[in-house]
Amino acid sequence: MCSRLFMLINDRPAVVSHSRDLGFFIQGADRARYPIQHCPWCGDLLPKRIADGLIAPEHEHVRILDKAKGVVTPEDCYALFGEPDYDAPFPDDNGMPTDLRNIEYYGISDWYTLEFYFTPPDYRRFVINAKPIPLLEDAEP
């Protein structure tokens, strides 16, 4: 089975989810849930039960979200999360720096990365991304 399914499940909110009681399912319109038995990407049969360690604990996304919501300035990033893994102006289509500052953290979680974007005087937003989970034959070196 490929890791794309698990990366999508860990990306909240996602249309594909997993429940220990229901197994794998796709979230449809009006909160309807449709069970799936095969991976939509590789076609492999999905396991009845999954091993611990493939799906992020639900509290982990909430932990990062709650902490990130308090960030208003780039200085807040440093105060709450420490030295970032990336801090540079966001490039335009020609690769030239813009006034949009991009600060990223890759090691704050085993499951998620966190990206912040700031433009003076008061624009700010953040994005929480699920990390890919290397599994078996599609694991990256």
Side-chain angles (χ1 to χ4, degrees):
M1 177 175 14
C2 66
S3 64
R4 289 176 191 90
L5 180 70
F6 291 104
M7 188 172 79
L8 185 60
I9 289 171
N10 288 332
D11 194 12
R12 301 189 192 272
V15 308
V16 178
S17 298
H18 180 268
S19 161
R20 294 198 190 280
D21 300 324
L22 302 173
F24 294 92
F25 60 90
I26 293 179
Q27 188 78 40
D30 299 323
R31 299 183 185 233
R33 293 180 176 179
Y34 304 98
I36 58 174
Q37 286 80 35
H38 294 84
C39 176
W41 289 272
C42 70
D44 279 355
L45 185 65
L46 297 174
K48 298 275 190 237
R49 295 185 178 273
I50 59 164
D52 289 337
L54 298 178
I55 296 180
E58 206 161 309
H59 69 277
E60 182 66 359
H61 190 271
V62 172
R63 178 186 73 84
I64 296 169
L65 179 65
D66 285 346
K67 205 169 180 183
K69 285 193 295 190
V71 172
V72 177
T73 66
E75 292 74 25
D76 293 340
C77 287
Y78 280 79
L80 283 171
F81 298 103
E83 188 73 26
D85 296 296
Y86 180 84
D87 183 356
F90 199 80
D92 66 13
D93 291 340
N94 297 319
M96 299 302 295
T98 65
D99 62 348
L100 179 64
R101 184 173 175 185
N102 179 210
I103 299 175
E104 299 182 4
Y105 293 90
Y106 311 136
I108 62 164
S109 168
D110 289 340
W111 301 100
Y112 299 102
T113 62
L114 180 58
E115 300 175 12
F116 291 93
Y117 300 91
F118 300 95
T119 303
D122 60 359
Y123 174 79
R124 73 179 194 291
R125 81 176 175 97
F126 65 90
V127 179
I128 300 171
N129 296 307
K131 289 182 179 180
I133 302 170
L135 299 173
L136 304 176
E137 61 273 352
D138 71 331
E140 295 180 17

